[in-house]
């Protein structure tokens, strides 16, 4: 349990906020047992750098190795459950006029916690698309017959995630940037703020005069610019932050 206290001026800002944007990273799923990118690699994956595996080059060079990594992460994701941090954000959506939830996570846990309209900037690990023609393939996959192939063009199938060097879904990114500029409050939760263009969003907010709250047990690249930094695990800090609104006399 964290001893993080919500400062009075932040509580007042929460109460006055009609439009909120929340950007989440791997840290928000850490308490669900989904390893963060920083400490992603355990066991047989310990010797691989995730940023090396999550690239189109790595997939072309050894598609089976990359698939084995994603199938390992899919199993972790399937067995994971949303934690109180995910649940608090789903609840916040009903306590403010507009909450735009933007995530770098590919685990789908926000939607499983009940959040609606989540902007998945980096895709979703449970979806599969063709590397060549792009169509989605909903079949359950394994590697028994080698790298799975597309039913339409026989191209290689790949997880529907954004790899390093690949563009983000432009619609989601544009909506996230627009929401950041007109928000009353921007929450940056469980992210090291190092991967772009997602890490640029809190600066869009700051440039537009929108205060930024960082929720992270450790300092990040954003900390020096954050308006408030709450140093604790999101699984206990977020319920406390949202409780500020829940306690408001209706
Ligand atoms: C692109 C999907 C161009 C795959 C991912 C500008 C400057 C420098 C570099 C670049 C730049 N612009 C672009 C780049 C290159 C690159 C980049 O940013 N590189 C970095 C490493 C410097 N960006 C790209 O390549 C992007 N594409 O630019 O394309 C383009 C444009 C047009 C046409 C062609 C090309 C694509 C980036 C997306 C890559 N895909 N994921 C997969 O998952 O397999 S990124 C992946 O890593 C995650 O999605 C996430 O974004 C990132 C990991 O970061 P975090 O989520 O923050 O996690 P991390 O482990 O780092 O930190 C966890 C944090 O949680 C820590 O701070 C920890 O303290 C905290 N924590 C721990 N426990 C808790 C907690 N917090 C709260 N509670 C807890 N309990
Ligand atoms: Zn195809």
């Amino acid at each position: 349990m964290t001893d993080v206290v919500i400062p009075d001026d932040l509580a007042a800002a929460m109460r006055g906020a009609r439009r909120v944007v929340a950007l989440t990273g791997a840290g928000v799923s850490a308490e669900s047992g989904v390893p963060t990118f920083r400490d992603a690699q355990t066991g047989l994956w310990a010797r691989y750098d995730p940023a090396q595996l999550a690239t189109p080059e790595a997939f072309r060079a050894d598609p089976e190795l990359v698939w084995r990594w994603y199938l390992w992460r899919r199993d972790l994701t399937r067995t994971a459950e949303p934690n109180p941090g995910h649940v608090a954000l789903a609840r916040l959506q009903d306590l403010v006029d507009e909450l735009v939830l933007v995530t770098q996570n590919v685990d789908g846990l926000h939607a499983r916690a009940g959040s609606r309209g989540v902007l998945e900037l980096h895709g979703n690990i449970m979806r599969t698309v063709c590397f060549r023609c792009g169509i989605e393939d909903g079949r359950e996959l394994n590697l028994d017959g080698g790298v799975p192939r597309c039913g339409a063009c026989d191209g290689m199938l790949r997880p529907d995630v954004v790899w390093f060097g690949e563009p983000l879904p432009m619609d989601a990114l544009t909506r996230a940037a627009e929401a950041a500029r007109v928000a009353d409050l921007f929450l940056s939760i469980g992210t090291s703020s190092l991967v772009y263009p997602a890490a640029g969003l809190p600066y869009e907010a700051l440039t537009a005069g929108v205060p930024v709250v960082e929720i992270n047990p450790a300092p990040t690249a954003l900390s020096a610019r954050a308006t408030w930094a709450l140093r604790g695990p999101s699984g206990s800090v977020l319920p406390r932050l949202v409780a500020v609104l829940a306690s408001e006399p209706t």
Side-chain angles (χ1 to χ4, degrees), residues 70-80 126:
Y70 279 98
L71 290 180
W72 173 69
R73 291 173 61 193
R74 276 186 178 179
D75 291 344
L76 283 176
T77 301
R78 261 194 215 94
T79 52
M126 304 312 282

Side-chain angles (χ1 to χ4, degrees), residues 127-142:
R127 282 198 308 265
T128 302
V129 292
C130 175
F131 194 34
R132 181 190 293 160
C133 73
I135 68 168
E136 186 161 346
D137 187 305
R139 289 174 292 167
E140 192 55 40
L141 293 178
N142 59 53

Side-chain angles (χ1 to χ4, degrees), residues 78-130:
R78 261 194 215 94
T79 52
E81 288 299 327
N83 66 59
H86 297 107
V87 173
L89 285 170
R91 191 143 175 263
L92 181 58
Q93 196 158 32
D94 302 324
L95 293 169
V96 294
D97 294 8
E98 185 192 49
L99 173 70
V100 176
L101 180 47
V102 186
T103 191
Q104 300 167 74
N105 301 342
V106 296
D107 58 31
L109 288 176
H110 285 303
R112 283 174 53 195
S115 288
R116 304 177 299 276
V118 180
L119 298 179
E120 295 181 311
L121 291 185
H122 296 166
N124 188 303
I125 199 170
M126 304 312 282
R127 282 198 308 265
T128 302
V129 292
C130 175

